[in-house]
Amino acid sequence: DAKTTQPNSMESNEEEPVHLPCNHSTISGTDYIHWYRQLPSQGPEYVIHGLTSNVNNRMASLAIAEDRKSSTLILHRATLRDAAVYYCILKGGGSSNTGKLIFGQGTTLQVKP
Amino acid sequence: GAGVSQSPSNKVTEKGKDVELRCDPISGHTALYWYRQSLGQGLEFLIYFQGNSAPDKSGLPSDRFSAERTGGSVSTLTIQRTQQEDSAVYLCASSLRFSGGMDTQYFGPGTRLTVL
């Protein structure tokens, strides 16, 4: 699976939008972009995923660059509960797909009241 | 509905003892994964099971680690002759099926293992 690069940490104010970037310059054509987050003392939680087009769900939006070499997770209104480590993960859809998730260090998001 | 459950939530053991960690996946999920997270470290893959296929054991750190999945449901991760470096949170995840890049995994709360 290709590697992703994320900032180590970010800060946001409560009720403001948050844009979490992820670079994946070696992404292959069949790789899906997944985002998971891990709240303190909990297991990871699925957030969103996409392939080429932007995606929206009740938790967040995923904006994917046209060349797919980067993506941005958007939390529209951050709450204190959104303070977590956010992981951007590429998951292959081709024959190389092994099922496992390869977690990097992620971005630790702090939300200030 | 019920999520992935793991037991025990905490386990303290002495160096050299064997431990068994249990995972109950979401009902109907055919794929099951084990990961571990050491203090200050990231999450690392250990093993996964998909239906009746041979498991992918490529992430197991040593032959002291083994896992079984009985009847396509419950899984047990066994660590023999535990060492202090085995101390970590062991996480289990399941997914509806191994559907390639779209596979979404649901994680349990983890078992915190402390080896004294």
Side-chain angles (χ1 to χ4, degrees):
Chain A
D1 295 293
K3 183 178 178 181
T4 63
T5 304
Q6 300 176 252
N8 288 334
S9 63
M10 291 185 65
E11 284 188 356
S12 173
N13 293 318
E14 196 176 11
E15 298 190 1
E16 289 186 355
V18 183
H19 290 232
L20 297 164
C22 181
N23 288 319
H24 29 79
S25 59
T26 59
I27 190 170
S28 74
T30 56
D31 285 341
Y32 285 76
I33 303 159
H34 285 248
W35 284 82
Y36 284 75
R37 71 179 184 181
Q38 187 173 23
L39 280 70
S41 302
Q42 295 188 26
E45 172 186 36
Y46 166 79
V47 178
I48 200 167
H49 77 274
L51 182 61
T52 56
S53 302
N54 295 343
V55 183
N56 299 295
N57 66 21
R58 63 175 181 81
M59 290 183 69
S61 295
L62 176 60
I64 301 173
E66 190 170 342
D67 64 3
R68 300 210 325 126
K69 293 184 184 299
S70 66
S71 60
T72 302
L73 179 70
I74 303 165
L75 306 179
H76 295 287
R77 288 184 68 217
T79 69
L80 296 178
R81 193 192 174 278
D82 291 323
V85 180
Y86 287 78
Y87 297 99
C88 170
I89 301 167
L90 299 185
K91 206 160 185 305
S95 59
S96 64
N97 187 6
T98 59
K100 60 192 176 188
L101 294 173
I102 307 296
F103 288 86
Q105 294 304 306
T107 297
T108 299
L109 175 65
Q110 294 182 325
V111 180
K112 296 182 290 185
Chain B
V4 177
S5 61
Q6 294 185 243
S7 60
S9 56
N10 281 285
K11 176 72 177 178
V12 180
T13 190
E14 294 180 347
K15 178 181 174 180
K17 301 282 190 182
D18 297 351
V19 295
E20 286 189 350
L21 312 179
R22 176 187 169 107
C23 171
D24 284 87
I26 294 172
S27 178
H29 280 194
T30 63
L32 186 146
Y33 309 79
W34 283 98
Y35 299 83
R36 75 173 176 181
Q37 187 169 31
S38 305
L39 186 63
Q41 300 298 313
L43 285 132
E44 60 175 327
F45 164 79
L46 296 177
I47 185 171
Y48 94 87
F49 299 88
Q50 169 58 37
N52 296 320
S53 303
D56 175 358
K57 304 180 181 180
S58 61
L60 295 179
S62 77
D63 58 9
R64 295 187 295 105
F65 287 72
S66 63
E68 290 185 341
R69 188 178 185 192
T70 55
S73 181
V74 172
S75 176
T76 303
L77 178 69
T78 301
I79 309 173
Q80 296 179 309
R81 305 181 302 281
T82 52
Q83 304 295 313
Q84 289 182 330
E85 60 262 30
D86 299 335
S87 295
V89 176
Y90 289 82
L91 291 152
C92 176
S94 70
S95 65
L96 185 59
R97 57 186 170 278
F98 176 60
S99 55
M102 293 185 291
D103 179 38
T104 299
Q105 296 181 21
Y106 297 85
F107 284 78
T111 293
R112 181 175 297 278
L113 174 66
T114 303
V115 182
L116 301 177

